[in-house]
């Protein structure tokens, strides 16, 4: 009887302790792998956004150098901005000076704008010129296709688009904080933003 108790204490109890420890480590390892996978996908989404911003740089410089556009800005005429949208595959043009929007044309859901200061030929500041070549729906679809993640694109509190099957996801995540986990249609999602 003592030999049986001794065997249990020396062999069985340590084996159970090691098994519990291993299962705990495996669980943490799986979470770490999942978090790393999500982090990598989020990094891809950020890089796609940055790339879309870079794509806007060429059209931005072309608009900034367009003399007819410059004259139109000085006179408050938005027709030239509308023409540039169509001729250069631009989604949105916005000119801001001292926090006042002087001109805006194009798709209100445009994202990833590039910008530069706009000046007259005499060096007078006209404001900050923003140009975007990507709309929210295109960006969200691109992120979904490349990463497999569902995406909600917002501007402040306003939802511009999402890749979920219905709009309940946008409402569900409206008050969520970063790194919160939310349930949408019975599935768990982690909230991230940039």
């Amino acid at each position: 009887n003592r030999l049986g108790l001794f065997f249990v204490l020396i062999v069985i109890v340590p084996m159970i302790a090691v098994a519990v420890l291993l299962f705990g480590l495996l669980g943490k390892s799986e979470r770490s792998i999942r978090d790393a996978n999500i982090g990598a996908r989020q990094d891809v989404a950020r890089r796609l956004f940055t790339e879309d911003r870079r794509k806007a740089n060429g059209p931005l410089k072309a608009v900034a150098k367009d003399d007819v556009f410059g004259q139109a800005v000085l006179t408050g005429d938005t027709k030239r901005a509308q023409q540039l949208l169509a001729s250069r595959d631009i989604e949105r043009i916005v000119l801001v000076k001292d926090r006042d929007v002087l001109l805006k044309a194009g798709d209100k859901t445009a994202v990833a704008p590039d910008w530069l200061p706009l000046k007259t030929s005499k060096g007078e500041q006209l404001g900050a010129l923003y140009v975007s070549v990507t709309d929210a729906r295109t960006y969200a679809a691109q992120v979904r296709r490349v990463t497999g993640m569902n995406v909600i694109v917002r501007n402040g509190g306003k939802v511009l688009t999402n890749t979920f099957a219905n709009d309940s996801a946008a409402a569900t995540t409206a008050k969520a904080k970063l790194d919160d986990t939310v349930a949408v249609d019975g599935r768990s999602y982690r909230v991230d933003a940039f």
Side-chain angles (χ1 to χ4, degrees), residues 47-56 112 133-134 139 142:
R47 289 175 192 258
L48 290 171
F49 189 88
T50 300
E51 181 60 28
D52 285 344
R53 181 174 281 154
R54 277 192 210 115
K55 287 178 188 174
V133 296
T134 308
Y139 171 72
Q142 182 182 28

Side-chain angles (χ1 to χ4, degrees), residues 65-163:
K65 291 179 182 176
D66 188 293
D67 292 333
V68 176
F69 176 74
Q71 282 303 112
V73 166
L74 292 173
T75 62
D77 181 13
T78 62
K79 288 180 186 174
R80 182 61 181 160
Q82 294 292 341
Q83 291 170 344
L84 286 168
L85 290 171
S87 69
R88 300 201 181 266
D89 291 327
I90 296 171
E91 291 296 323
R92 187 144 173 93
I93 298 173
V94 177
L95 179 64
V96 178
K97 184 173 184 179
D98 300 327
R99 296 187 181 191
D100 293 324
V101 177
L102 303 178
L103 177 140
K104 57 184 171 183
D107 187 346
K108 292 178 183 179
T109 71
V111 296
D114 199 2
W115 75 279
L116 56 74
L118 187 64
K119 299 177 183 179
T120 65
S121 57
K122 297 177 184 177
E124 178 186 335
Q125 284 283 355
L126 292 176
L129 178 65
Y130 295 85
V131 171
S132 175
V133 296
T134 308
D135 64 279
R137 179 165 285 144
T138 301
Y139 171 72
Q142 182 182 28
V143 171
R144 174 81 171 138
R145 185 179 65 253
V146 172
T147 68
M149 292 190 312
N150 277 305
V151 179
I152 299 173
V153 179
R154 297 179 190 266
N155 183 359
K158 183 179 180 190
V159 175
L160 302 179
T161 192
N162 76 77
T163 60

Side-chain angles (χ1 to χ4, degrees), residues 20-57:
V20 169
L21 182 65
L22 284 175
F23 282 119
L25 288 174
L26 285 174
K28 287 181 183 178
S29 176
E30 287 175 8
R31 267 186 305 247
S32 295
I33 290 169
R34 184 182 66 235
D35 288 348
N37 185 0
I38 291 170
R41 291 176 187 209
Q42 290 167 338
D43 187 50
V44 169
R46 287 181 186 95
R47 289 175 192 258
L48 290 171
F49 189 88
T50 300
E51 181 60 28
D52 285 344
R53 181 174 281 154
R54 277 192 210 115
K55 287 178 188 174
N57 188 264

